[in-house]
Amino acid sequence: MPESNAVAEHPPPRTRVRDDEIANDPNPQRRSLLSRPALSDSVFKTVSFTAGATTVGIMLAVGLFLSLRATDALKVAGFSFLTEQQWSPETHKFGIAAVLTGTVTIALIAMCVSVPLALGTSLLISEIAPPKVKSVLITLVDLMAAVPSVVFGLWGVFFLQAAVIPVSQWISTYFSWIPIFAVTDASGHPQTDASSYTSSAFIAGLVVAMMVVPTQTSVMREAFSQAPPGEREGAYALGSTRWGMIRSVVLPFGRGGIIGGTMLGLGRALGETIAVYMIISPIFTINLQVLKSGSNSVSALIALRYGESFDFGLSALMAAGLVLFLLTLVVNFTASSIVARSRSGAQTT
């Protein structure tokens, strides 16, 4: 047998290092399992952490500032600050029951109008529009979000209000049996003149709805676009129509985005100031008739009374701002958590 074949059949034995030799080695070489992050990763982590900590610090600083400035007023008003309707810090009789009710009323009206509009727009962009038209629609929606609040306020005062008054009169005429749609005077008699329908919470809610639609549309569209292509194609393969695919795949997958976008818009609607201030006729009584002239909001109250208030009046306004800050913070954090969960697809059915 050739020597080369013998070597191939009988390879030399491998050298093995015994455990006792490793233990007796005075300078053992151990492999490190720790990895050193790259410089770019370290810089990115530091910058991200700094940005997040700065944002949280600013929010805490705002809350602390409002709390300290509102201390004097809250000590005087106590719990009645949440139940009193009048606003007269000079006589130590003030509260936000009326303005807080108006704030919530305007925001709910805005949600009733904006959510269906944003849902339809987001489905049109993500599921129906061709690619070229889709890019144009996305640009228009984003551009709408950049329009200043004062422009919406001017549009509401000089155009929308005159156009909506006949609609408000029609609603009041045929649906006045629902208490919120009735328009009556102090003695309970129905009012039909146009002046009774101006500067109402309904008109303010419509304007705010147009302002929050872009935010809601963006969140919903992003959630719908993440629906798995495999499930879309599977629905079509089973004979589903486009609407059937949207109903069985896109809407269940984007449920978290719908809820999150709605709540983000609600947070924006609660804090809207200039547009509401330009439209409403400020009153300090609870008005549950949404079509009737007269309403108020916390942000509009601050804008209205800030210039004429002194130390104690400013403290009362800070207390009102603190309540609005906490309410908006709760809504936005809840919305953020819902949107974050929806990105994983956990909401699909």
Side-chain angles (χ1 to χ4, degrees), residues 76-114:
V76 173
F79 184 76
S80 64
F81 183 73
L82 298 176
T83 59
E84 177 63 43
Q85 299 185 36
Q86 298 185 29
W87 186 265
S88 180
E90 298 80 8
T91 60
H92 288 186
K93 190 173 184 180
F94 58 95
I96 61 170
V99 294
L100 190 60
T101 302
T103 300
V104 175
T105 300
I106 293 173
L108 291 179
I109 293 173
M111 292 301 101
C112 292
V113 176
S114 66

Side-chain angles (χ1 to χ4, degrees), residues 51-333:
T54 302
T55 302
V56 175
I58 292 174
M59 293 177 58
L60 293 176
V62 171
L64 180 61
F65 169 77
L66 292 175
S67 300
L68 294 177
R69 293 296 301 271
T71 302
D72 295 339
L74 293 178
K75 287 181 179 179
V76 173
F79 184 76
S80 64
F81 183 73
L82 298 176
T83 59
E84 177 63 43
Q85 299 185 36
Q86 298 185 29
W87 186 265
S88 180
E90 298 80 8
T91 60
H92 288 186
K93 190 173 184 180
F94 58 95
I96 61 170
V99 294
L100 190 60
T101 302
T103 300
V104 175
T105 300
I106 293 173
L108 291 179
I109 293 173
M111 292 301 101
C112 292
V113 176
S114 66
V115 171
L117 185 58
L119 180 61
T121 304
S122 58
L123 288 175
L124 171 65
I125 294 175
S126 64
E127 305 299 328
I128 299 176
K132 293 183 179 179
V133 179
K134 180 184 298 186
S135 61
V136 174
L137 292 177
I138 293 175
T139 302
L140 291 177
V141 172
D142 294 340
L143 182 63
M144 184 178 175
V147 177
S149 300
V150 65
V151 175
F152 280 101
L154 292 172
W155 171 72
V157 171
F158 294 104
F159 174 77
L160 184 64
Q161 184 167 242
V164 169
I165 287 177
V167 178
S168 300
Q169 291 175 325
W170 182 86
I171 295 175
S172 178
T173 300
Y174 293 98
F175 296 94
S176 58
W177 50 274
I178 303 176
I180 61 173
F181 295 140
V183 178
T184 59
D185 56 14
S187 59
H189 295 92
Q191 299 293 304
T192 57
D193 56 305
S195 60
S196 300
Y197 295 86
T198 59
S199 304
S200 64
F202 179 63
I203 299 174
L206 292 179
V207 175
V208 174
M210 297 300 102
M211 300 177 66
V212 302
V213 161
T215 302
Q216 295 174 328
T217 302
S218 298
V219 176
M220 295 180 188
R221 175 178 57 82
E222 182 67 22
F224 295 154
S225 64
Q226 294 180 1
E231 296 188 13
R232 296 172 183 263
E233 296 173 0
Y236 285 130
L238 292 174
S240 176
T241 61
R242 175 179 291 179
W243 167 241
M245 183 275 295
I246 293 175
R247 185 180 58 186
S248 60
V249 177
V250 177
L251 290 180
F253 188 89
R255 185 182 301 132
I258 296 174
I259 299 173
T262 300
M263 298 188 69
L264 286 174
L266 177 60
R268 168 75 186 277
L270 290 172
E272 182 51 46
T273 304
I274 299 300
V276 175
Y277 174 72
M278 296 176 64
I279 294 172
I280 62 173
S281 177
I283 60 174
F284 293 97
T285 56
I286 295 178
N287 179 19
L288 297 180
Q289 298 179 355
V290 298
L291 302 177
K292 184 179 179 180
S293 177
S295 184
N296 216 329
S297 70
V298 175
S299 54
L301 167 67
I302 297 174
L304 176 66
R305 295 299 181 91
Y306 181 80
E308 62 186 37
S309 300
F310 296 98
D311 293 339
F312 188 78
L314 288 175
S315 179
L317 292 177
M318 294 296 175
L322 177 62
V323 174
L324 181 61
F325 174 77
L326 295 176
L327 179 62
T328 308
L329 203 63
V330 170
V331 172
N332 286 333
F333 270 122

